Amino acid sequence: MKTPRSLTAIVEEQCRKWTTQTVPPVTPPRCSVITVSREPGTRARAVAQLLSQRLGYDIYGSNIVDAVARSAHCSEIVVRSLDERGRSFVENFVSSVGRSLTADEYLHHLALIVATLARHRRAIILGRGASFLLPHGTTLRVRFVAPLEMRIASFVKEFSLTPDEARQRIRTIENNRRKFVLDAFGKDLADPVQYDLIVNDDLISAEGGARLVLAALESLNA
């Protein structure tokens, strides 16, 4: 069995990638970061994967962002991947948003990580309240929704659950996500005003959803 890599090794590999990437254009796109909020059971991850392939953006799942944010050591490694100007940006950013966060040390590191990912640009960040952390206008904030029955069917198929089990799991995930955003940022996760684009999966395929996000990104950068 292959031994899983440590979180530090994963973080260091990503930092090496950043430092060896081709120098970006002198005038990079105003918006090159996409944050993804989603109701459980939507096609959000599939859309993110399509966007990653077409844009060359890296995807940062909530599990990785969460794990890094809980490790002060890994947070320091990530922030060190920036030049002096970038570090100044992150420090100022965290200072500015700190007043709206709770006193939890985890949230401080979460803000550090999300700000660093945004500073490196070309990122798709799934979950962890990134939509509420990054500045409006330089981030495309997308939320994916779908009818409950459709999401239940998705969970039944993906996790081999009964419909009742799927319904309960979805309810638990939704409650946890809403509580996290409310406690951390004082915001309603489902408030449509918090997003630039809301995609309803009901009649739209993952391919269609990707095209909508690409069109919105192009519009922001026009």
Side-chain angles (χ1 to χ4, degrees):
M1 180 181 295
K2 184 177 179 181
T3 303
R5 293 181 299 162
S6 70
L7 177 60
T8 300
I10 294 172
V11 170
E12 290 177 339
E13 179 180 312
Q14 178 62 60
C15 291
R16 284 194 296 272
K17 178 179 178 181
W18 281 330
T19 57
T20 58
Q21 279 177 334
T22 303
V23 177
V26 175
T27 306
R30 182 168 70 97
C31 176
S32 59
V33 178
I34 302 170
T35 61
V36 176
S37 171
R38 74 277 195 203
E39 291 183 331
T42 61
R43 299 188 181 97
R45 187 171 290 277
V47 172
Q49 290 169 345
L50 288 173
L51 292 170
S52 174
Q53 294 167 10
R54 294 175 191 183
L55 294 168
Y57 287 15
D58 289 320
I59 299 175
Y60 299 96
S62 57
N63 56 334
I64 295 298
V65 175
D66 186 59
V68 174
R70 290 189 185 283
S71 167
H73 176 59
C74 286
S75 296
E76 291 168 2
I77 293 173
V78 171
V79 175
R80 284 203 306 269
S81 70
L82 295 166
D83 58 21
E84 289 301 323
R85 184 177 178 183
R87 291 180 203 179
S88 176
F89 165 84
V90 169
E91 289 169 359
N92 291 337
F93 170 82
V94 174
S95 175
S96 69
V97 301
R99 294 186 295 274
S100 63
L101 299 177
T102 70
D104 191 336
E105 184 179 358
Y106 160 74
L107 290 172
H108 172 81
H109 286 288
L110 176 65
L112 274 177
I113 299 312
V114 171
T116 303
L117 296 179
R119 187 63 179 178
H120 281 294
R121 299 177 177 272
R122 301 182 182 280
I124 301 170
I125 307 175
L126 303 179
R128 303 327 293 161
S131 299
F132 300 92
L133 275 169
L134 295 177
H136 173 66
T138 59
T139 306
L140 176 58
R141 304 166 303 171
V142 184
R143 179 161 172 81
F144 289 84
V145 300
L148 178 59
E149 293 308 315
M150 175 182 170
R151 295 188 286 124
I152 288 173
S154 174
F155 263 56
V156 167
K157 181 178 180 180
E158 182 174 358
F159 301 109
S160 300
L161 302 173
T162 67
D164 285 343
E165 289 171 337
R167 185 186 301 273
Q168 183 56 49
R169 183 176 297 188
I170 287 172
R171 183 180 296 117
T172 298
I173 294 171
E174 287 180 331
N175 289 342
N176 289 342
R177 289 178 180 172
R178 280 177 179 261
K179 185 177 186 305
F180 169 75
V181 169
L182 181 62
D183 290 347
F185 312 110
K187 303 288 186 181
D188 178 3
L189 176 64
D191 181 1
V193 176
Q194 303 296 331
Y195 304 96
D196 305 303
L197 175 67
I198 296 180
V199 179
N200 189 332
D201 272 352
D202 190 14
L203 299 175
I204 299 178
S205 64
E207 172 66 32
R211 287 200 298 267
L212 286 174
V213 176
L214 288 170
L217 189 64
E218 181 179 350
S219 178
L220 279 178
N221 287 317

